């Protein structure tokens, strides 16, 4: 196999830079390519086009828009990316179980589990210590940290906010009854940071919030489904959670995983005041008997 003229990373970066200027069909193809790099590496051009919902000619035009000779050169770049990665536990497990007969219901359950595991595996591969530390220092240095995640991504936003309230009072969960949730952003400004969880299909409220935050010059940390996401294009820093196969939403467990990692990193850099706040939190939990405690073991439930 001849070496590709450009790396997969360079191709994805180029697509992110030029995405808004591409025709609609090329944007559709670009979304599929960036969200499904492993599929691009091994499927034929016709198969990739079919799964992307475009014509094979569109895939050729996309390759040319990237200054590549043909689709084969695009595929070789993604094959080289895969060869540089160690074989995943998930791939070995899938291969081992491929010959076992399963009922339709069992297959559906296994598919959901596989998709969540794939999302976790992809997140672990993409997470860089330097980015996690940068995000934590942005949170620690902010006046306020707004946390936004709507609909299916809400658990990840709530997890970060809930954990952070144990050691700081600067986080604000963008949430509220009666359609007032975005009112929480009213006082956002250049000294603030917004942690935004979102994936396709992007809620209109999230897109409006992103535009508002940019106008207010707040820094944005995005946890989203690829470089073509509107959140990624608006962000100071982005963490990628790939789409979960054929699911409508990005991998739910992987989003919560990233949320927990960022929360732990935030605590680690928060400073000496965190310990005192944690003690006050524990006192409050005890005073209100928030958790039923096992007197014999001393462990919280």
């Amino acid at each position: 196999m001849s070496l590709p003229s450009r790396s997969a990373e360079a191709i994805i970066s180029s697509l992110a830079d030029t995405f808004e200027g591409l025709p609609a069909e090329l944007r559709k193809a670009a979304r599929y390519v960036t969200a499904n790099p492993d599929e691009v590496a091994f499927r034929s051009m016709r198969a990739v086009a079919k799964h992307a919902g475009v014509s094979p000619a569109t895939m050729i035009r996309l390759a040319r828009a990237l200054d590549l000779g043909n689709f084969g050169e695009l595929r070789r770049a993604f094959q080289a990316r895969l060869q540089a990665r160690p074989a995943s536990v998930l791939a070995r497990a899938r291969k081992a179980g491929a010959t076992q007969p399963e009922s339709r219901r069992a297959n559906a359950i296994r598919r959901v589990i596989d998709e969540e595991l794939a999302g976790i595996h992809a997140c672990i591969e993409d997470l860089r210590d330097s980015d996690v530390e940068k995000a934590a220092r942005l949170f620690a240095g902010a006046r306020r940290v707004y946390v936004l995640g709507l609909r299916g991504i809400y658990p990840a936003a709530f997890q970060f906010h809930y954990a952070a309230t144990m050691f700081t009072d600067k986080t604000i969960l963008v949430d509220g009854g009666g359609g007032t949730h975005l009112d929480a952003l009213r006082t956002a400004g250049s000294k603030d940071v917004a942690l935004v969880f979102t994936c396709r299909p992007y809620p209109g409220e999230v897109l409006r919030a992103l535009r508002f935050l940019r106008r207010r010059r707040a820094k944005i940390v995005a946890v989203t489904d690829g470089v073509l996401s509107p959140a990624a294009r608006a962000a100071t820093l982005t963490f990628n959670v790939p789409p979960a196969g054929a699911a409508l939403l990005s991998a739910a467990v992987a989003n919560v995983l990233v949320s927990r990692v960022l929360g732990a990193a935030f605590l680690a850099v928060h400073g000496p005041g965190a310990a005192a706040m944690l003690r006050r939190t524990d006192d409050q939990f005890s005073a209100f008997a928030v958790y039923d405690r096992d007197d014999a073991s001393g462990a919280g439930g």
Side-chain angles (χ1 to χ4, degrees), residues 208-219:
R208 289 190 287 275
L210 287 168
R211 289 193 291 269
F212 181 80
L213 289 164
R214 290 191 70 180
R215 286 201 303 273
R216 290 295 182 91
R217 302 193 181 192
K219 297 178 180 65

Side-chain angles (χ1 to χ4, degrees), residues 104-120:
R104 183 177 297 180
R105 183 177 300 174
N107 273 329
I109 294 170
R110 184 180 294 277
R111 185 164 60 250
V112 171
I113 294 171
D114 278 359
E115 287 174 352
E116 292 295 345
L117 287 173
I120 291 171

Side-chain angles (χ1 to χ4, degrees), residues 220-234:
I220 298 171
V221 176
V223 181
T224 190
D225 54 351
V227 294
L228 303 187
S229 161
R233 297 199 299 275

Side-chain angles (χ1 to χ4, degrees), residues 27-41:
R27 288 202 300 271
K28 195 173 181 180
R31 282 195 185 280
Y32 184 84
V33 167
T34 57
N36 301 276
D38 293 358
E39 300 296 316
V40 175

Side-chain angles (χ1 to χ4, degrees), residues 22-30 52-55 58-59 61-62:
L22 295 174
E25 283 295 286
L26 289 189
R27 288 202 300 271
K28 195 173 181 180
V54 299
S55 68
T58 298
M59 301 308 301
R61 291 202 304 275
L62 180 66

Side-chain angles (χ1 to χ4, degrees), residues 58-297:
T58 298
M59 301 308 301
I60 295 173
R61 291 202 304 275
L62 180 66
R64 289 175 178 168
L66 291 163
D67 293 325
L68 300 173
N70 50 47
F71 181 82
E73 194 170 345
L74 176 68
R75 183 167 54 217
R76 286 194 296 275
F78 285 96
Q79 287 173 348
R81 169 183 172 272
L82 270 184
Q83 289 171 351
R85 286 163 38 186
S88 71
V89 173
L90 176 61
R92 293 196 297 271
R94 280 178 168 166
K95 184 177 180 181
T99 59
Q100 298 178 10
E102 298 277 3
S103 69
R104 183 177 297 180
R105 183 177 300 174
N107 273 329
I109 294 170
R110 184 180 294 277
R111 185 164 60 250
V112 171
I113 294 171
D114 278 359
E115 287 174 352
E116 292 295 345
L117 287 173
I120 291 171
H121 182 76
C123 280
I124 291 171
E125 284 190 333
D126 285 349
L127 274 178
R128 291 191 292 269
D129 290 348
S130 58
D131 286 344
V132 172
E133 183 173 355
K134 182 178 179 182
R137 295 201 178 280
L138 284 173
F139 300 146
R143 179 181 58 172
R144 284 182 292 265
V145 178
Y146 295 92
V147 190
L148 173 61
L150 301 182
R151 300 183 181 272
I153 302 297
Y154 179 79
F158 180 82
Q159 166 67 37
F160 179 90
H161 170 70
Y162 179 71
T165 59
M166 306 289 179
F167 59 86
T168 181
D169 58 3
K170 69 166 59 179
T171 64
I172 298 174
L173 182 64
V174 181
D175 186 19
T180 63
H181 47 285
L182 293 185
D183 292 359
L185 297 175
R186 186 176 294 140
T187 57
S190 60
K191 295 181 180 180
D192 302 320
V193 173
L195 173 60
V196 179
F197 296 85
T198 191
C199 68
R200 294 189 72 200
Y202 308 108
E205 297 100 320
V206 172
L207 301 182
R208 289 190 287 275
L210 287 168
R211 289 193 291 269
F212 181 80
L213 289 164
R214 290 191 70 180
R215 286 201 303 273
R216 290 295 182 91
R217 302 193 181 192
K219 297 178 180 65
I220 298 171
V221 176
V223 181
T224 190
D225 54 351
V227 294
L228 303 187
S229 161
R233 297 199 299 275
T236 303
L237 184 63
T238 300
F239 295 91
N240 182 39
V241 178
L248 290 175
L249 298 173
S250 186
V253 177
N255 275 281
V256 173
L257 170 65
V258 175
S259 173
R260 294 194 65 179
V261 168
L262 293 177
F266 185 16
L267 172 60
V269 303
H270 194 264
M277 186 69 171
L278 286 168
R279 285 194 296 271
R280 289 196 295 271
T281 296
D282 191 55
D283 289 344
Q284 180 257 317
F285 282 176
S286 296
F288 287 92
V290 172
Y291 296 112
D292 184 26
R293 297 183 182 272
D294 184 340
D295 290 336
S297 67

